[in-house]
Amino acid sequence: MAPALDFPASFPRWATAEEMKRWEETGWSEVDHHETGRKEKLAWDLIADARTHAALAKAPACPVLIFHGRRDDVVPCTLSETFARDNPHVRLQLLDDDHSLLASVPRILDESVGFLAGLGG
């Protein structure tokens, strides 16, 4: 759900170069949390670890179902659209929702059950 497929390189969307430098120097930063609406502490270790991984471009060799909100202001849905286009066994469901996908939970549950049921056999 709303996968940050470019997570290792995504930080410039959320922080300036100066903020990133200060974050690295102090070892932590307070970031706006999209769910709580508060500033939450986030350790630099997350960034350091993320930078050791490449962005995900190739899906695993199994059927994949992605749900992504069209109004996601945290992870752009274009990332999932490109990923689905480049990986034929990926099914993308774009929803009229934001990053939390809370308004779409019933649809996500229904579609997930159907998707998983189709894998049996």
Side-chain angles (χ1 to χ4, degrees):
M1 296 193 304
L5 299 162
D6 71 337
F7 191 68
S10 64
F11 307 106
R13 284 199 306 266
W14 306 309
T16 66
E18 184 178 301
E19 290 169 329
M20 294 296 289
K21 183 178 180 193
R22 188 170 45 252
W23 190 353
E24 183 175 14
E25 289 170 353
T26 63
W28 62 274
S29 181
E30 288 190 344
V31 298
D32 293 322
H33 191 281
H34 70 279
E35 279 305 308
T36 66
R38 298 185 312 251
K39 295 276 188 186
E40 303 286 351
K41 279 190 171 184
L42 192 59
W44 176 258
D45 293 348
L46 174 69
I47 308 307
D49 180 67
R51 288 181 170 169
T52 67
H53 304 280
L56 187 61
K58 184 169 172 49
C62 63
V64 174
L65 174 60
I66 295 175
F67 296 100
H68 210 128
R70 292 187 200 296
R71 295 179 282 113
D72 191 331
D73 63 351
V74 178
V75 178
C77 66
T78 54
L79 296 173
S80 290
E81 290 173 311
T82 300
F83 189 72
R85 184 193 66 228
D86 295 345
N87 292 276
H89 57 285
V90 172
R91 190 170 101 201
L92 172 62
Q93 294 296 324
L94 289 175
L95 306 169
D96 183 25
D97 210 339
D98 60 18
H99 185 68
S100 70
L101 298 171
L102 289 176
S104 302
V105 168
R107 180 172 173 192
I108 290 169
L109 291 173
D110 287 345
E111 293 203 27
S112 295
V113 167
F115 175 77
L116 294 171
L119 298 178

